[in-house]
Amino acid sequence: MSSLPLQHDFSLRAFNTFGIEARAHAYLPVDGADTLRAVRDDAALAALPRLVLGGGSNLLLTRDFDGLVLHMRGAGMEIVGEDEAFTYVRAAAGENWHGFVQWTLAQGLGGLENLSLIPGSVGAAPIQNIGAYGVEVKDRFHALRAFDFTSGEVITLDRAACCFGYRDSVFKHALRDRAVVLDVTFALPRQWQANANYADVAQALQERGAAQPTARDIADAVIAIRTRKLPDPARIGNAGSFFKNPIVSAQQRDALLAQHLGLVSYRQDDGSYKLAAGWLIDRCGWKGKSIGPAGVYEKQALVLVNLGGAAGADVARLAKAIQDDVLEKFGVALEPEPVFI
Ligand code: EPU
């Protein structure tokens, strides 16, 4: 019999930002590797399907989860070293991402300001390589420690080992269902430079009269933009962008542009193009529309919202209708960003 603080038939409603009701067969708060090791050593627990939960901001619960939810709650943030180029800061997986970013700024350390106000936890940030306003986690990432359920060891992964891509990493592929992130170390440049090229950010800084912006100015600009454009999950259930921006060939983008004036696209380093999924969905007329209690946010068509009492299936039905429309009108397949359970 384990002495772990397990709970059974546990409601996950308060732990997903969509605010969807679903129950977990078993739920366990996790503060570090020892708890995970105890799970691994317990034959009954180790046999259950696992769901690692951070801030629950990238999750769509379409059913009850007949397994073990591992809720990462470990806390702690510290400066762990520096060299000529970087200051290294480490945060435990359970820390709130925005709280951590604000803490680095309060220490006088710039580098993460463009990623202010992204919902979620520190441990989840590298899994989908969160990004906003021209910066991704991979750009400031140094290393992370994770518990490996296969070996029972704590492993350290550097940037190359994480195989970061657009909203993607090794944790969605080879290490899926295997490694659980314990803490993450970031390398923040000592010679800080503003990254304010993104049009929305440049405009917000101009409005504020910040010609030589500090990291704090950029954080404030990003917070203002996000507050204006994106719904606060504490008030309207949502999981941020519901779809990834699709990547298409230059040929396909040119053909689309010839047919659809105003198509928003961004050239990638390899010559392909990322299309603004929000624009595609908007053009299909979905902005502000709903199916039952699931809706498309009125200020950003890429964000699906729980209008009140939605089940995961309601949101999934709306998402499917949007995917079908975008495919029919533009010939482009949209891929959801959140994990579906
Ligand atoms: N647009 C529309 N109609 C809409 C929404 C967008 O025409 O309803 C157009 C905008 O006018 C703009 C373009 O689409 O020209 C892109 O919109 P926006 O700048 O709002 O960014 P996004 O591509 O929709 C991405 C990320 C966001 C991130 C922002 C800023 C993805 C899937 N989303 O959104 O990340 O905050 O850029 O960098 O890559 C998230 O992943 O959850 C997220 C919020």
Side-chain angles (χ1 to χ4, degrees):
M1 205 42 210
S2 86
S3 59
L4 293 166
L6 267 182
Q7 298 195 54
H8 287 96
D9 190 25
F10 187 87
S11 171
L12 297 173
R13 186 179 196 139
F15 297 125
N16 72 99
T17 58
F18 258 119
I20 284 168
E21 172 59 15
R23 305 191 83 81
H25 166 68
Y27 168 92
L28 181 65
V30 175
D31 57 6
D34 288 348
T35 310
L36 297 173
R37 203 165 283 119
V39 168
R40 184 175 180 272
D41 291 345
D42 180 312
L45 288 180
L48 292 173
R50 287 187 291 272
L51 169 65
V52 180
L53 185 63
S57 56
N58 196 43
L59 180 65
L60 181 66
L61 294 163
T62 64
R63 57 179 167 85
D64 290 340
F65 182 64
D66 194 20
L68 172 63
V69 169
L70 298 170
H71 195 184
M72 304 309 289
R73 304 307 296 258
M77 307 184 270
E78 57 180 326
I79 295 173
V80 291
E82 63 179 15
D83 56 24
E84 268 170 36
F86 299 106
T87 302
Y88 298 90
V89 291
R90 182 160 65 214
E95 288 287 349
N96 172 268
W97 174 261
H98 178 65
F100 168 59
V101 172
Q102 300 311 295
W103 176 83
T104 59
L105 294 170
Q107 310 302 306
L109 301 170
L112 296 175
E113 57 282 351
N114 294 50
L115 305 178
S116 291
L117 213 60
I118 296 183
S121 62
V122 166
I127 292 177
Q128 60 155 348
N129 183 26
I130 59 171
Y133 308 109
V135 176
E136 290 182 332
V137 145
K138 76 163 169 38
D139 302 324
R140 305 285 180 258
F141 181 89
H142 178 63
L144 62 72
R145 290 188 294 201
F147 181 77
D148 178 359
F149 262 97
T150 302
S151 66
E153 302 289 332
V154 172
I155 54 175
T156 299
L157 280 81
D158 65 10
R159 185 186 311 188
C162 290
C163 306
F164 290 120
Y166 168 56
R167 298 291 188 276
D168 199 32
S169 73
V170 72
F171 302 101
K172 291 188 168 186
H173 304 282
L175 294 183
R176 196 192 154 133
D177 297 329
R178 178 173 160 181
V180 179
V181 177
L182 297 168
D183 59 44
V184 188
T185 303
F186 295 88
L188 304 182
R190 296 186 68 185
Q191 295 291 319
W192 177 82
Q193 282 190 323
N195 186 332
N197 299 328
Y198 203 94
D200 277 356
V201 176
Q203 196 190 331
L205 289 168
Q206 206 179 13
E207 281 164 14
R208 287 156 181 265
Q212 301 263 300
T214 62
R216 186 68 252 171
D217 290 331
I218 293 180
D220 290 342
V222 166
I223 290 169
I225 297 164
R226 293 191 74 100
T227 306
R228 196 171 63 224
K229 279 198 167 181
L230 300 168
D232 174 1
R235 294 183 46 240
I236 306 173
N238 76 92
S241 298
F242 195 87
F243 300 102
K244 294 187 201 178
N245 285 328
I247 296 177
V248 300
S249 67
Q251 224 178 359
Q252 191 178 359
R253 176 260 187 185
D254 291 348
L256 282 168
L257 195 56
Q259 278 178 37
H260 304 281
L261 201 67
L263 178 89
V264 182
S265 64
Y266 314 92
R267 192 171 189 281
Q268 305 297 290
D269 290 344
D270 65 1
S272 63
Y273 281 83
K274 198 186 261 184
L275 305 180
W279 188 90
L280 301 173
I281 298 167
D282 197 352
R283 278 304 154 110
C284 289
W286 277 106
K287 202 185 228 170
K289 296 278 165 56
S290 55
I291 299 184
V296 180
Y297 191 52
E298 72 241 9
K299 295 180 203 155
Q300 198 350 334
L302 198 48
V303 178
L304 303 192
V305 294
N306 177 357
L307 296 169
D314 295 317
V315 179
R317 189 178 317 122
L318 174 62
K320 176 75 170 61
I322 292 171
Q323 283 171 311
D324 288 349
D325 259 13
V326 169
L327 188 60
E328 193 186 313
K329 190 167 164 75
F330 298 102
V332 174
L334 293 182
E335 194 189 323
E337 200 181 283
V339 172
F340 281 50
I341 292 295

